[in-house]
Amino acid sequence: MLGSGSEDDELAEAMLFNLINSKALPIASEHSLSVLMRDDGAAAERFVEDPQLYLTRWIRDKVKDWPQSFYSAMGDTPLSRLHSAAGVLLRPGGISKTTQPDLETEAGRLFGPLYDLAVKLRDPHDGFVHSCAFLPIAAEVYARHTKVEPAKGANTEKERLRRAERWLRDFACWFDGIGGADMPLPADPSILWTIFKRDFDKRAGKVFIAMSFSDEQALQEVAKAIDEALDRFNADHPNNPLTPRRADKQKGASYEIPAWIFSAIEQSRLVIADLTDERPNVYCEVGYAKSRGIPFILTFHKRTPDDKPPWERESSPGNKVHFDLMPYRYIAYESSFELRDRLKQELEAFVVCSI
């Protein structure tokens, strides 16, 4: 009979609740989880009773050793969050729950990389790493989205970490943009990955072109060189083509141009910006892309040096890369042919880093 108020009674009550509830609905009580965690029964028995609860306990003991206040940053319901993460990990294609040793071995292999990712991402994306979304989404990405077609060295831990870090940086920018750290999250935070991936796939092949639309022949050649670089890239990558989008190619007058431009940048995977002519709109568009976490490739047509600002020049338009973008790597070209060939190389490198 329960009712003495002792810890044993409380544990028995929580275990009964878990036995009943695990057959119907997921555990929703932080208190019940906390009590169940005090059960020091045989590990093999605990595993058989409830693999998800067993894995929750394993994760808790693991992440409590992580530095950077990871566990305490999960707020008042850390066990509920870890229980949710355990559920994600135990889905088909994740950690095997056939036997207790299998579960612990696979979890051990997974949590080393997850710790490395937490360390790498913590400074630039503290809100995401210290949110309840991090563990389930990092596990989802590393376990299910970092393997590529088998090839020598393709699926080493180092390569998989690189791919996972790239995916998670993109996700973290998106997560920060929607205010993810402050919003109530679903019981299974990995649903956010599904939403993000759907949005990512919509813009996967779109490339926004920012450049001067001067009628000058040289700039017409620049536009043609960019198109040719994309065409050559697409010929080598027929399954992952890139589609250019530029404001001067839009037809009709039923849209507000600045609004369309910002929307087009947000929906693009990459921005190619030619800084020739020092157009303020091009600098603005690069700045907007940077603020949204969208990568960019900068190009620049070398001309006769002229240090005067554009409004004081008597002859040709500007040829400087201004100080705010000077620290970034850019392609300085002398001919449209050089631009075409070097831009193709940059596109290849960008895609490799994006895998």
Side-chain angles (χ1 to χ4, degrees):
M1 184 175 174
L2 301 177
S4 65
S6 68
E7 285 195 7
D8 289 343
D9 286 344
E10 190 176 27
L11 175 58
E13 183 178 1
M15 291 178 70
L16 178 61
F17 170 82
N18 182 38
L19 178 63
I20 297 171
N21 206 40
S22 64
K23 305 302 181 184
L25 298 172
I27 294 175
S29 167
E30 181 76 11
H31 174 69
S32 295
L33 284 167
S34 178
V35 174
L36 288 166
M37 291 296 165
R38 299 203 296 266
D39 176 17
D40 58 358
E45 292 180 5
R46 292 192 309 227
F47 171 78
V48 171
E49 288 168 357
D50 190 336
Q52 184 174 350
L53 185 63
Y54 183 88
L55 182 56
T56 302
R57 182 184 285 106
W58 188 95
I59 296 173
R60 177 203 61 181
D61 295 341
K62 191 73 172 178
V63 301
K64 273 192 170 182
D65 294 332
W66 286 13
Q68 305 167 334
S69 306
F70 183 88
Y71 188 82
S72 61
M74 287 189 287
D76 298 330
T77 57
L79 297 177
S80 297
R81 296 181 177 191
L82 296 181
H83 190 258
S84 172
V88 172
L89 292 173
L90 290 172
R91 291 202 309 246
I95 291 177
S96 169
K97 59 180 180 181
T98 306
T99 67
Q100 176 195 345
D102 287 344
L103 182 146
E104 292 193 7
T105 298
E106 292 188 35
R109 282 199 297 259
L110 176 61
F111 270 76
L114 293 189
Y115 171 74
D116 289 341
L117 289 168
V119 171
K120 287 175 178 292
L121 295 168
R122 193 248 175 152
D123 286 342
H125 301 292
D126 182 80
F128 169 52
V129 171
H130 280 160
S131 77
C132 61
F134 175 75
L135 267 181
I137 289 176
E140 172 84 13
V141 170
Y142 184 82
R144 296 183 175 89
H145 298 278
T146 58
K147 291 185 178 180
V148 296
E149 291 298 322
K152 185 177 181 180
N155 291 314
T156 63
E157 182 175 313
K158 181 179 179 181
E159 282 301 301
R160 292 184 65 189
L161 269 174
R162 182 181 66 80
R163 296 186 195 108
E165 182 182 355
R166 174 68 186 179
W167 274 120
L168 289 173
R169 285 186 185 279
D170 284 347
F171 177 88
C173 291
W174 178 85
F175 185 78
D176 293 343
I178 65 171
D182 300 320
M183 64 185 287
L185 294 178
D188 179 0
S190 66
I191 191 66
L192 292 175
W193 167 260
T194 303
I195 298 170
F196 159 78
K197 190 64 166 56
R198 187 178 301 155
D199 176 67
F200 181 90
D201 289 342
K202 283 182 180 178
R203 58 187 176 89
K206 297 176 182 175
V207 179
F208 185 84
I209 311 298
M211 62 175 293
S212 170
F213 296 130
S214 167
D215 289 331
E216 182 185 343
Q217 181 63 33
L219 286 167
Q220 295 292 316
E221 293 297 322
V222 166
K224 183 178 178 182
I226 293 174
D227 287 342
E228 289 181 358
L230 289 167
D231 288 343
R232 292 188 175 198
F233 173 89
N234 291 340
D236 292 342
H237 301 272
N239 295 325
N240 298 285
L242 298 176
T243 305
R245 309 182 77 196
R246 46 164 62 96
D248 66 324
K249 299 295 184 182
Q250 301 308 304
K251 305 299 182 183
S254 59
Y255 57 86
E256 183 183 353
I257 290 179
W260 179 88
I261 286 175
F262 293 138
S263 175
I265 291 173
E266 285 203 15
Q267 295 171 28
S268 297
R269 179 185 182 186
L270 172 70
V271 170
I272 297 175
D274 188 81
L275 304 178
T276 309
D277 266 9
E278 304 173 35
R279 296 294 190 187
N281 63 294
V282 176
Y283 277 80
C284 176
E285 288 154 15
V286 173
Y288 187 75
K290 185 176 185 301
S291 74
R292 308 306 293 173
I294 298 168
F296 48 82
I297 295 175
L298 303 177
T299 66
F300 170 64
H301 186 195
K302 290 188 290 187
R303 291 175 171 168
T304 304
D306 187 344
D307 291 332
K308 293 181 180 178
W311 54 88
E312 291 182 6
R313 293 188 182 134
E314 298 176 357
S315 55
S316 63
N319 70 319
K320 289 179 60 180
V321 176
H322 285 261
F323 71 94
D324 47 356
L325 292 182
M326 277 293 290
Y328 294 92
R329 183 166 172 262
Y330 56 86
I331 299 172
Y333 59 92
E334 294 184 352
S335 71
S336 59
F337 298 106
E338 181 184 8
L339 171 61
R340 178 196 63 195
D341 296 340
R342 293 181 61 187
L343 180 56
K344 165 69 161 45
Q345 294 173 0
E346 289 291 326
L347 291 171
E348 296 282 356
F350 168 75
V351 169
V352 168
C353 290
S354 299
I355 293 176

